[in-house]
Amino acid sequence: MVGMSLRVALLGLLSFAGPASGYDLTKMFTLTINHVWQAKHSQIYPELNRMAADGLISVAQPGPRGRKIYTITEHGAATMRDWLVSHTPSGTMRSEQSLQAFLLPLLEPPQALEALERMADATQARLDGLEEMKKVHMSGQGGGDIGHYALDLGIMQLRAILAWTHQTADDIRASAAPDS
Amino acid sequence: MVGMSLRVALLGLLSFAGPASGYDLTKMFTLTINHVWQAKHSQIYPELNRMAADGLISVAQPGPRGRKIYTITEHGAATMRDWLVSHTPSGTMRSEQSLQAFLLPLLEPPQALEALERMADATQARLDGLEEMKKVHMSGQGGGDIGHYALDLGIMQLRAILAWTHQTADDIRASAAPDS
DNA sequence: AGACTCATGTAATGCGTTACATGATTTG
DNA sequence: CAAATCATGTAACGCATTACATGAGTCT
């Protein structure tokens, strides 16, 4: 089965934070995992119902306001571990950022430089966001925090993009003004 | 309008390579732009028809085997340039790779290290692929080649991921064996 | 003639977003 | 009691993949 990602993400959050409702999980999604995966409540609620039907999570009797608390089952935990250990992630990459990079040579140098500058600004802004998150993260408890490594990965990738924008801008300037 | 990416990618290929059929464009997609964006013929053919209806490209009378040759129009070229210069790419990131990174702290150190090793291998393989492409690219003509910058970007991002796998493995080993 | 590649399409299905819809509880 | 927040769901739509379907030309 493909399209396992949302399930695994939810199992991970339940495993880390303990029993929670769909509403809680929706908030946790946007607050913690957002730079890596996104999902709205309209996708999460039906998925939780399917996961319960499949025995990956169990549901308590609805509480006040129809609140339904989900708990990860042993089957769910095993499924998640198995995916982490044995699923080779699809390398499918779909990035508007990279698409613009691909087409950049079709622009005249001045326009290309302008586009690069916008990209650099946007990347810097996202990088600032992640670095801010990391500060908050570290001022909490130390050690085996969920999301900790993904934050580092995000930061390193954004730094790579930023370095590329500078290098490419230099390259374009150099080829636009051939001799010194 | 959103979901412009496929259109722009096709316009870019037509702009760079000149008039081509849907079949040609499908091949070019997998051969050149694949590390940045993916599309199958079943998506490309209907899109080309819509683009022709919108005046972004023009169609010649079908040739042998029903082959339809598309040519970018001035309107199409302007649309593409405009998107490149003024569209800020959505930062939406959805990477199974990063999702695994996010959940890594939920594994015991030995399993986490094993998962990291698989990730490193997969990343290295993709990196080898891109670096091979770059060699081919450079042995062609020099200068303003389409895809040139995107290739560099891909390589830099993959190197960042690779560096992260090593750094993270060290970190996990260090915290699994606290004192020297 | 048979196999292969060229060439174009449609249908079914899945994942994801936006919008619609409803009601219970808490807070001011 | 009014507004905000909590809480769950469904419907409509768009993008992308897989599978189905068909036929024309080329090469052995």
Side-chain angles (χ1 to χ4, degrees):
Chain A
M1 188 196 203
V2 140
M4 207 55 186
S5 307
L6 178 58
R7 290 188 161 210
V8 173
L10 290 168
L11 290 171
L13 290 176
L14 283 173
S15 167
F16 175 71
S21 68
Y23 187 83
D24 297 335
L25 288 165
T26 302
K27 273 195 304 181
M28 288 178 69
F29 235 95
T30 59
L31 289 176
T32 66
I33 211 175
N34 201 53
H35 62 109
V36 152
W37 208 267
Q38 300 83 39
K40 308 286 162 71
H41 79 274
S42 53
Q43 200 186 355
I44 290 173
Y45 288 132
E47 186 64 29
L48 287 170
N49 285 325
R50 282 188 292 265
M51 287 164 74
D54 292 348
L56 300 172
I57 54 180
S58 64
V59 206
Q61 291 312 310
R65 272 173 289 196
R67 182 181 168 89
K68 288 156 77 177
I69 302 290
Y70 296 97
T71 306
I72 190 168
T73 63
E74 187 40 50
H75 178 211
T79 299
M80 183 194 69
R81 262 181 258 119
D82 196 61
W83 183 86
L84 268 176
V85 169
S86 63
H87 173 74
T88 299
S90 91
T92 312
M93 190 56 184
R94 216 180 231 106
S95 147
E96 284 195 343
Q97 172 105 302
S98 302
L99 180 54
Q100 291 195 338
F102 187 88
L103 300 173
L104 214 54
L106 295 173
L107 290 177
E108 295 302 311
Q111 279 86 51
L113 288 171
E114 198 190 312
L116 273 172
E117 204 173 318
R118 277 190 318 100
M119 284 167 73
D121 289 349
T123 305
Q124 185 65 58
R126 288 209 281 150
L127 184 54
D128 291 347
L130 289 197
E131 269 166 349
E132 188 53 41
M133 267 188 76
K134 189 171 177 179
K135 257 187 229 160
V136 174
H137 228 252
M138 292 202 315
S139 67
Q141 84 267 31
D145 229 333
I146 199 177
H148 165 225
Y149 294 132
L151 217 42
D152 287 342
L153 176 57
I155 288 170
M156 288 173 81
Q157 284 186 278
L158 288 174
R159 284 203 188 123
I161 293 173
L162 212 51
W164 172 86
T165 60
H166 297 144
Q167 171 188 303
T168 302
D170 289 348
D171 186 82
I172 288 175
R173 269 185 231 108
S175 44
D179 48 50
S180 84
Chain B
M1 188 197 203
V2 141
M4 208 51 187
S5 307
L6 177 58
R7 290 188 161 211
V8 173
L10 291 168
L11 290 171
L13 290 176
L14 283 173
S15 167
F16 175 71
S21 69
Y23 188 82
D24 297 335
L25 289 165
T26 303
K27 273 195 303 181
M28 289 177 70
F29 234 96
T30 58
L31 288 176
T32 65
I33 211 175
N34 200 52
H35 62 108
V36 152
W37 206 267
Q38 300 83 40
K40 308 288 162 70
H41 79 275
S42 53
Q43 200 186 354
I44 290 173
Y45 288 133
E47 187 64 30
L48 286 170
N49 285 323
R50 282 188 291 265
M51 287 164 73
D54 292 349
L56 300 172
I57 54 180
S58 64
V59 206
Q61 291 312 308
R65 272 172 291 196
R67 182 180 169 89
K68 287 156 77 177
I69 304 289
Y70 296 96
T71 306
I72 189 168
T73 63
E74 187 40 52
H75 178 211
T79 300
M80 183 194 69
R81 261 181 259 120
D82 196 62
W83 182 86
L84 268 176
V85 169
S86 62
H87 172 75
T88 299
S90 91
T92 313
M93 189 55 184
R94 217 182 230 104
S95 148
E96 284 195 341
Q97 172 107 302
S98 302
L99 180 55
Q100 291 195 339
F102 187 88
L103 299 173
L104 214 55
L106 296 172
L107 290 177
E108 295 302 311
Q111 279 85 53
L113 287 171
E114 197 190 314
L116 273 172
E117 204 174 317
R118 276 190 320 97
M119 285 167 73
D121 289 349
T123 306
Q124 184 66 58
R126 287 209 281 149
L127 184 54
D128 291 347
L130 288 197
E131 269 166 350
E132 187 53 40
M133 268 187 75
K134 189 172 177 179
K135 258 186 229 160
V136 174
H137 227 251
M138 291 200 317
S139 66
Q141 83 267 32
D145 229 334
I146 199 178
H148 165 222
Y149 295 132
L151 218 42
D152 286 343
L153 177 56
I155 288 170
M156 289 173 82
Q157 288 192 101
L158 287 174
R159 284 202 187 124
I161 293 172
L162 212 51
W164 171 86
T165 60
H166 298 144
Q167 170 189 303
T168 303
D170 288 349
D171 186 82
I172 288 175
R173 270 186 230 108
S175 44
D179 49 49
S180 84

